[in-house]
Amino acid sequence: MSEEPRGPLPGRVAAAGESHDAVRVTADAGEPLDAVRVADAGEPLDAVSGRVAAVREAMAGAGVDALVLRPSPDYRFLGGRSDGRAGAFIVVTGDAVAETADPAGLVPKGARRVGVDPEMRVRELFGMAIEAELVPASSVLAPLRLRKEPYEVAAIGRAVAAAEGVLARARELAWFGATERAMAHRLRVLLAESGCEELVALRVAAGEHTARPAHVPGERVINPGDAVTVSVCGRWGGYCAEVARVFVVAEPPEDFEAMYSVVEAAYRAGLGAVRPGAPVAEVARAVGEVIDGSGYGRFAAARTCRGVGLGPDEGPRDGEDTVLAAGMTFCVEPAIYVPDLFGARVADVVACAEPGAVPLGSSPRTLHVLER
């Protein structure tokens, strides 16, 4: 039996230029409904119409005749609710924006280039049978999503606070004698209790497993003398946040504190490089210089920062030529992984502002000793 559809009904968002008092979603049959777009995330009702105008301008510049978005960060950016139901799409053309279960029917006849959501499923693509050149919608939307409005930065800050709250409660749990898998389960419970709408990633790695960047929590027992890397990444209020911290049980392993101090110093250096007008590559360079100078350079993680917002991994990213600007939010995440020995990773979300980097959280990065 198929699941009963949820989320907003197919309809039309008022065109850019209409006053927000008149914004309506009109069902296919013409019945007016109250506007229900992303207000659940605290977004102003007139924000979407402003975005649509910018999107249409970008579409014209890229020669894209229509955008077709499925539930995803791009979908939420243009007003789709965070609980977008399966089968719901948003279609943007030069003169309309509609949410529908039949996107192909709204793509203009004769359209030559259509931008499709990067998260579009293969069966969805084939099901639409659009006779046009298909290109990633991110070529239009990604540049527009780089800079966040103040209410978005505030929403990301609330998500960061929720993630930090989970790790604060995690420090009070009994870690000694538990397995990585058991602690990961306890963290999932804490995340659910925090109001997390979607768990994106969760990591618990102990001892030698902290040296594995993609480690999946297993049956390893956590013992005194172990380092433990814990990170949570999820979505709260429609926006994403990630926080990663390192604990030690009873006492740190030999030489671990020296290595961890390098990761902390690299984080501070990365923050110091954040300022409007600086290439994002300068953040990566600042982090790399600290780790290289310590002698741990060959053990450094390849990635040092990535954008965070409606999605957990968006621009700006290191390795790109993006120039930082006020309103950009991203995760600074230096890490060192010494194979078969130990590793450490710190991750925090920061905003770029005129004075420089503004951390959106307040959790200390000092090495926390778990006494039980």
Side-chain angles (χ1 to χ4, degrees), residues 70-71 86-89 103 119-129:
R70 72 177 310 280
F89 298 86
E119 296 188 13
M120 193 78 72
R121 296 167 181 151
V122 173
R123 62 179 175 80
E124 291 171 336
L125 284 172
F126 281 108
M128 289 187 298

Side-chain angles (χ1 to χ4, degrees), residues 170-185:
R171 290 196 291 266
E172 305 304 318
L173 299 176
W175 290 77
F176 170 49
T179 65
E180 295 172 334
R181 194 188 309 277
M183 298 310 297
H185 174 72

Side-chain angles (χ1 to χ4, degrees), residues 117-205:
D117 201 300
E119 296 188 13
M120 193 78 72
R121 296 167 181 151
V122 173
R123 62 179 175 80
E124 291 171 336
L125 284 172
F126 281 108
M128 289 187 298
I130 296 174
E131 295 182 0
E133 177 189 359
L134 302 182
V135 298
S138 54
S139 63
V140 171
L141 296 173
L144 300 178
R145 288 176 50 198
L146 279 173
R147 299 182 68 171
K148 275 63 174 180
E149 296 293 335
Y151 69 84
E152 292 184 283
V153 177
I156 296 168
R158 290 190 291 270
V160 171
E164 288 188 335
V166 169
L167 290 192
R169 293 180 63 189
R171 290 196 291 266
E172 305 304 318
L173 299 176
W175 290 77
F176 170 49
T179 65
E180 295 172 334
R181 194 188 309 277
M183 298 310 297
H185 174 72
R186 293 176 188 176
L187 288 175
R188 288 189 186 95
V189 173
L190 293 179
L191 282 160
E193 293 174 351
S194 76
C196 183
E197 300 158 3
E198 178 188 355
L199 173 59
V200 177
L202 170 63
R203 185 180 185 219
V204 175

